[in-house]
Amino acid sequence: MKKLTSLLLSLAVLTTAVLPVAAATDQRLTQVTQAVKETLSIDDGYDTFYGELEETTFQSFWSLNWEGEGRSLRVSASEDGTIYHYNYSDSTGSTSQNPAFPEYSPMEAQAIAQNFLDKVVTAPLDAQLEDTETMGSIDSDRYYFHGALTLHGYPTPLGLSISVDSHTGQVLNYRRDDRY
């Protein structure tokens, strides 16, 4: 009887310690998810969502994943909602094998990319795309841009890359070097 009581008491203590940790993690996930949704204007058109915490020695990162109706969005963000990586894919569009002219010019795509960067990179950092002469071909499906992060207007060694779909104007990928 004493062994059973000890076992039940031990289980109760362990469960009590785990529940607040799980609740705190859920609260952190909710906060970072809401910050990312506001920054990126993510709609409620996704069927599923899940998030995972990755804690490193220096910082915690969240892997946030939305999926639904042939499209998916994957975001890596810090505790404060800073977005370090973004990947959007949509398989609902037509996948014709015939070449098509891009709907967006390289200059229009660069403006879309810069607008995205203005939303996801916050002060005191700033992001400037390099002057690239992106030549779109008839069957080009995306434009690629590179840039650098500046700190209070001063250059840093930290770079970034971003790609824009040449037919929809949707940002497909974004990555900044200071994730690690």
Side-chain angles (χ1 to χ4, degrees), residues 61-101:
F61 288 97
W62 290 92
S63 176
L64 308 174
N65 303 277
W66 290 267
E67 295 178 2
E69 297 183 19
R71 61 189 183 129
S72 67
L73 176 61
R74 308 214 184 300
V75 174
S76 176
S78 65
E79 286 283 332
D80 66 358
T82 300
I83 298 166
Y84 288 85
H85 179 76
Y86 170 98
N87 184 0
Y88 176 82
S89 65
D90 186 351
S91 62
T92 62
S94 66
T95 56
S96 171
Q97 297 299 323
N98 298 326
F101 287 106

Side-chain angles (χ1 to χ4, degrees), residues 1-15:
M1 183 70 177
K2 288 182 180 180
K3 287 184 179 182
L4 180 61
T5 305
S6 284
L7 179 65
L8 290 175
L9 187 57
S10 296
L11 263 155
V13 169
L14 286 173
T15 304

